[in-house]
Amino acid sequence: LWRGETSLWTGECRNYIIRDSDNCFLCGDDRSITLLFSLKIAGLSLPLPPKKLIGNMDREFIAERQKGLQNYLNVITTNHILSNCELVKKFLDPNNYSANYTEIALQQVSMFFRSEPKWEVVEPLKDIGWRIRKKYFLMKIKNQPKERLVLSWADLGPDKYLSDKDFQCLIKLLPSCLHPYIFRVTFATANESSALLIRMFNEKGTLKDLIYKAKPKDPFLKKYCNPKKIQGLELQQIKTYGRQILEVLKFLHDKGFPYGHLHASNVMLDGDTCRLLDLENSLLGLPSFYRSYFSQFRKINTLESVDVHCFGHLLYEMTYGRPPDSVPVDSFPPAPSMAVVAVLESTLSCEACKNGMPTVSRLLQMPLFSDVLLTTSEKPQFKIPTKLKEALRIAKECIEKRLIEEQKQIHQHRRLTRAQSHHGSEEERKKRKILARKKSKRSAVENSEEHSAKYSNSNNSAGSGASSPLTSPSQSPLPPSSPAPLLPASTEAPAQLAPQAVNGVSRGALLSSIQNFQKGTLRKAETWDHSAPRIG
């Protein structure tokens, strides 16, 4: 991918070129401009490569620009908030994110208001949340115009395993849930494809707004992506808020109600009291804000362990005023108390992510929270029929099963990537070349030794027999009909023809045979003398 940009706020114009294996086309569309405006709103300093007025179509410049812009996209996609931004997803994958979700939400809300005329939409609250398919509207009741409420609409997610009937029944049960640390739902309804809930509007905002000193109505990117001032909470606030959040998590787990969506934006502040939001997310099957983190660790495979890990993220943010740079966390900065660090280590450290999370009950017993006194007289109430409890149990198991399968796929992909990276590295290629060279040399030496051994064996088999003629390698053997040359008794045989001991017979036996030679025993040969001259 190589991409330039059109920067309207600076008056500069640069070309967009998208390259892939099939095509190459010019792109200066609204997606590019909208994305850049949104990133400008986020206030981040992104490494956009410099422009070039002359020679900007040279091959070398295009290659350099390609690397710079790929790095630019890498920085965007590795930022947790930006990577979940609707505009980033639409820019990178327009085919799957082409729908106008605000318009869809307005249509669904309008259909609902046909049968409920007492509600009135004041204004849409644009981009106050991070979810792509969840929209918010400021509401009021017609006969109570001063009260402000917030309507949230969301469609179904990939973890929706409840039947339509059970899903609608459970959504309508949410207003009956009473707990001192759960934000009350005023109204809730659902159809086969989405859910709509109304709550009171809180001017103070969420716990994340308190940490980041943000205004609740501002866009999510502007509020949280690049905070101007980073400051954690006081130790007593950390202890109190943490204890209240753990208490409501334990309540939900005891009821068999799945949650899995804990983060600072889902905790509403009411004075010194934290109240949990968005219980409907698990019923809708929506993905967790921190799913990209805990899906990497195979020991975080239950919804309770997911909630505990997300609580670690929240505690880190309350303590240091910002989220961790990466997870797992190798070392923690100085904290107001070592008891805070102990809880963080049990939820975010390498050992915790590798071996598993503690339970919510175990966290409540740790020194940071065990001495916190909660002063509330409100008695929790949330009655779930037995049939719906069984449906929740099955749905919870399906959610955990899908998480385990996803973790397995990620683990296999990471192993394959590491193996490919290892075998494709320059050092590994050098090692393979050296080993291949050594193997080739060893094979050549072995072949040479084998050839020498065969040659030696062939020579030995040709010259080691007792009946073999005593000849020099450079001489041919005498013909069988020619008499052997005789040596005088007083003459010593040449060194190269001296007989050697063969099969126990010494050269003395041969000399004795020569000495006892008798001429008379030879057969008389007939000769014809043709030397006399012939006269014709």
Side-chain angles (χ1 to χ4, degrees):
L1 175 66
W2 177 80
R3 200 184 296 269
E5 78 287 356
T6 301
S7 178
L8 297 185
W9 59 82
T10 61
E12 298 170 356
C13 182
R14 308 179 189 179
N15 290 331
Y16 278 73
I17 296 178
I18 302 176
R19 294 183 182 275
D20 59 27
S21 58
D22 300 323
N23 52 46
C24 172
F25 55 94
L26 189 67
C27 175
D29 57 10
D30 294 338
R31 293 185 300 113
S32 311
I33 300 170
T34 307
L35 174 65
L36 291 164
F37 268 120
S38 302
L39 299 183
K40 185 72 174 179
I41 291 171
L44 289 174
S45 178
L46 297 170
L48 196 64
K51 65 179 180 179
K52 187 177 182 181
L53 297 177
I54 300 173
N56 56 10
M57 296 305 292
D58 294 342
R59 184 180 296 275
E60 294 78 9
F61 173 73
I62 291 177
E64 181 183 351
R65 173 58 72 91
Q66 181 181 4
K67 291 180 182 178
L69 289 168
Q70 187 62 59
N71 180 53
Y72 171 75
L73 290 178
N74 291 342
V75 171
I76 293 174
T77 53
T78 51
N79 183 294
H80 185 58
I81 293 179
L82 290 182
S83 63
N84 288 294
C85 174
E86 177 182 353
L87 294 166
V88 172
K89 291 182 180 293
K90 281 188 173 183
F91 179 76
L92 296 176
D93 191 3
N95 294 330
N96 291 322
Y97 295 95
S98 58
N100 188 330
Y101 299 108
T102 302
E103 203 170 302
I104 295 173
L106 277 171
Q107 291 173 1
Q108 296 286 336
V109 171
S110 300
M111 291 175 63
F112 159 73
F113 285 147
R114 290 177 182 176
S115 58
E116 296 286 342
K118 70 174 185 176
W119 305 99
E120 184 179 339
V121 176
V122 177
E123 61 177 334
L125 299 172
K126 292 184 178 180
D127 303 325
I128 66 167
W130 67 275
R131 290 190 185 279
I132 296 175
R133 297 178 177 89
K134 191 167 190 177
K135 300 301 175 183
Y136 298 87
F137 302 89
L138 191 64
M139 306 289 297
K140 70 177 181 180
I141 304 175
K142 288 184 178 180
N143 58 2
Q144 298 175 0
K146 291 185 178 181
E147 287 192 1
R148 291 291 183 265
L149 302 99
V150 174
L151 181 149
S152 64
W153 172 90
D155 63 359
L156 303 178
D159 278 327
K160 193 263 183 182
Y161 294 104
L162 294 165
S163 67
D164 291 342
K165 183 180 178 181
D166 293 338
F167 168 66
Q168 294 179 32
C169 290
L170 282 165
I171 288 291
K172 292 177 181 179
L173 271 181
L174 292 178
S176 67
C177 178
L178 300 177
H179 193 283
Y181 308 125
I182 292 178
F183 199 73
R184 182 84 181 268
V185 176
T186 304
F187 178 84
T189 187
N191 56 26
E192 295 80 6
S193 61
S194 60
L196 180 151
L197 290 91
I198 299 176
R199 297 178 173 90
M200 296 299 296
F201 178 71
N202 189 347
E203 295 286 347
K204 293 183 179 179
T206 64
L207 179 57
K208 201 174 185 76
D209 292 328
L210 174 67
I211 295 172
Y212 287 74
K213 309 295 187 293
K215 296 178 182 179
K217 290 185 180 181
D218 284 344
F220 195 86
L221 289 179
K222 183 179 179 180
K223 290 189 291 187
Y224 310 131
C225 202
N226 187 28
K228 296 179 180 179
K229 188 177 181 181
I230 297 175
Q231 184 178 356
L233 304 181
E234 299 291 334
L235 178 61
Q236 190 57 44
Q237 289 177 307
I238 295 171
K239 290 166 67 74
T240 303
Y241 296 160
R243 176 65 186 264
Q244 292 171 353
I245 293 167
L246 289 174
E247 286 289 344
V248 71
L249 288 178
K250 188 175 186 303
F251 171 77
L252 292 175
H253 293 159
D254 292 343
K255 288 289 182 179
F257 191 93
Y259 187 52
H261 294 272
L262 179 63
H263 58 91
S265 292
N266 274 352
V267 179
M268 190 67 76
L269 278 180
D270 185 8
D272 292 331
T273 303
C274 282
R275 302 185 193 274
L276 211 61
L277 287 168
D278 287 0
L279 267 64
E280 69 274 12
N281 285 355
S282 57
L283 306 180
L284 285 157
L286 302 180
S288 171
F289 182 66
Y290 292 117
R291 189 177 184 90
S292 60
Y293 288 96
F294 60 74
S295 59
Q296 301 178 47
F297 310 112
R298 302 181 73 178
K299 288 293 184 178
I300 307 176
N301 51 19
T302 64
L303 284 183
E304 182 177 7
S305 62
V306 166
D307 283 332
V308 171
H309 182 71
C310 294
F311 178 79
H313 283 264
L314 175 58
L315 182 62
Y316 190 102
E317 209 164 356
M318 286 194 294
T319 305
Y320 303 111
R322 59 180 179 83
D325 295 328
S326 62
V327 177
V329 182
D330 297 325
S331 60
F332 297 91
S337 170
M338 288 305 297
V340 177
V341 177
V343 179
L344 291 174
E345 287 178 344
S346 69
T347 54
L348 294 179
S349 66
C350 295
E351 184 179 355
C353 293
K354 183 179 179 181
N355 298 329
M357 298 288 110
T359 61
V360 173
S361 300
R362 174 73 187 91
L363 290 182
L364 284 167
Q365 295 170 1
M366 296 186 76
L368 182 63
F369 308 114
S370 60
D371 61 348
V372 177
L373 296 177
L374 299 178
T375 57
T376 178
S377 58
E378 186 179 352
K379 186 178 179 181
Q381 295 180 13
F382 192 20
K383 293 182 180 180
I384 304 175
T386 305
K387 183 181 177 182
L388 292 180
K389 279 187 176 180
E390 180 63 18
L392 282 174
R393 185 189 66 79
I394 296 172
K396 176 175 174 289
E397 290 177 355
C398 292
I399 292 171
E400 292 172 348
K401 183 178 179 181
R402 193 178 85 88
L403 174 61
I404 292 171
E405 289 298 320
E406 182 178 323
Q407 290 171 335
K408 188 184 297 184
Q409 292 176 6
I410 292 173
H411 179 70
Q412 292 173 349
H413 176 72
R414 290 171 71 180
R415 285 184 62 185
L416 179 62
T417 302
R418 283 198 300 267
Q420 290 175 343
S421 176
H422 173 71
H423 290 294
S425 64
E426 187 67 26
E427 183 180 353
E428 191 64 21
R429 283 200 296 267
K430 287 180 180 178
K431 286 182 180 179
R432 287 200 296 269
K433 286 182 181 179
I434 293 171
L435 288 175
R437 209 174 290 126
K438 288 181 178 179
K439 186 176 180 180
S440 177
K441 288 182 180 179
R442 194 183 306 118
S443 177
V445 170
E446 289 176 355
N447 290 338
S448 176
E449 290 177 352
E450 184 179 354
H451 180 72
S452 300
K454 286 181 179 179
Y455 183 76
S456 176
N457 290 337
S458 64
N459 285 345
N460 290 339
S461 62
S464 60
S467 60
S468 300
L470 299 176
T471 59
S472 170
S474 61
Q475 294 175 331
S476 298
L478 294 174
S481 59
S482 303
L486 300 179
L487 296 178
S490 59
T491 306
E492 190 173 345
Q496 66 271 23
L497 296 179
Q500 303 292 329
V502 180
N503 295 335
V505 181
S506 65
R507 61 181 289 178
L510 181 58
L511 293 175
S512 175
S513 175
I514 295 171
Q515 289 175 355
N516 296 330
F517 174 72
Q518 295 180 4
K519 186 178 179 181
T521 59
L522 294 175
R523 188 178 60 180
K524 186 175 181 180
E526 296 182 358
T527 59
W528 290 272
D529 188 6
H530 298 283
S531 61
R534 296 178 64 184
I535 300 172

